[in-house]
Amino acid sequence: MTDFLSTHWLDIVTTILGLIYLILEYRASIALWVVGIVMPAMDIYLYWSHGLYGDAGMAVYYTLAAIYGYAVWKFGAKWKAMIKRKGSDKKEGASAVSSSSEDLPITFFPRRLILRTLGFFFLAWAATYYVLVAYTNSTVPLLDAFTNALSFVGLWALARKYVEQWLFWIAVDVVCCYLYVVKGIPFKAGLYGLYVVIAVMGYWKWKGLAKKAQV
């Protein structure tokens, strides 16, 4: 038992943090970003030690992106109000800021961004695949690069509070679950299996919230 815990303690700790993150994300709580800073920082070593170099690099991005996500959720509405205020008189500007002080709302993914997002995804997939093949001894470069590229898109969509971010994560979680089983990270594999289920539930919940906000 002691040997097992000494071998998998980091896997267990980050899995627990992942469960907390998932609950907070499902509830659309801004606190998810705090966990989103700590967990990937620990994942960097976990993934690197198991030869998942793409995921290790992605964990660095997650840590930095979590800071961005927190700022957008916390101040996004205020920033939009400040932009709209330009060109208006002081009275109108003050009214706009006070009426928009709430957090960024949940919305649907804009159709105008679909082609650009797809283009970025495929470019990121190809670039990450090249790096993994050329500079690491990764045994799963294609799938590792896929989850990295789609995670870039998913985290950006989460920061913007787009409903469809859940669909990106469903695809990422399915592939990651398989990779972690293959690489011998059992607790993380189980976590990502659970992620798939919760992501489906989260999609329908956010979809309902977005529709309600439109009324």
Side-chain angles (χ1 to χ4, degrees), residues 1 73 83 109 114 161 163 183 197 207:
M1 184 65 177
W73 278 38
I83 293 174
F109 195 91
I114 293 178
K161 276 193 173 180
V163 174
K183 288 295 184 176
V197 177
K207 186 176 182 179

Side-chain angles (χ1 to χ4, degrees), residues 94-206:
S95 176
V97 171
S98 62
S99 63
S100 303
S101 58
E102 61 187 53
D103 292 342
L104 194 69
I106 296 174
T107 57
F108 290 99
F109 195 91
R111 291 185 178 181
R112 58 185 172 78
L113 296 179
I114 293 178
L115 289 180
R116 278 182 285 179
T117 302
L118 283 174
F120 173 82
F121 164 69
F122 284 112
L123 181 62
W125 189 3
T128 306
Y129 176 77
Y130 170 77
V131 171
L132 291 176
V133 171
Y135 300 103
T136 75
N137 61 348
S138 175
T139 58
V140 285
L142 188 65
L143 292 181
D144 202 1
F146 171 83
T147 58
N148 274 254
L150 194 54
S151 292
F152 278 118
V153 177
L155 197 56
W156 166 76
L158 171 59
R160 303 307 307 173
K161 276 193 173 180
Y162 293 139
V163 174
E164 290 77 7
Q165 60 95 9
W166 289 106
L167 300 179
F168 300 140
W169 291 119
I170 289 172
V172 170
D173 295 341
V174 168
V175 176
C176 281
C177 183
Y178 166 76
L179 287 176
Y180 298 152
V181 169
V182 172
K183 288 295 184 176
I185 314 178
F187 291 98
K188 210 72 169 179
L191 175 65
Y192 275 76
L194 179 60
Y195 274 179
V196 176
V197 177
I198 302 300
V200 173
M201 296 169 59
Y203 171 76
W204 289 108
K205 179 178 180 178
W206 278 40

Side-chain angles (χ1 to χ4, degrees), residues 26-28 106 204-214:
Y26 179 76
R27 294 179 176 178
I106 296 174
W204 289 108
K205 179 178 180 178
W206 278 40
K207 186 176 182 179
L209 291 173
K211 288 183 175 181
K212 184 177 179 180
Q214 291 178 338

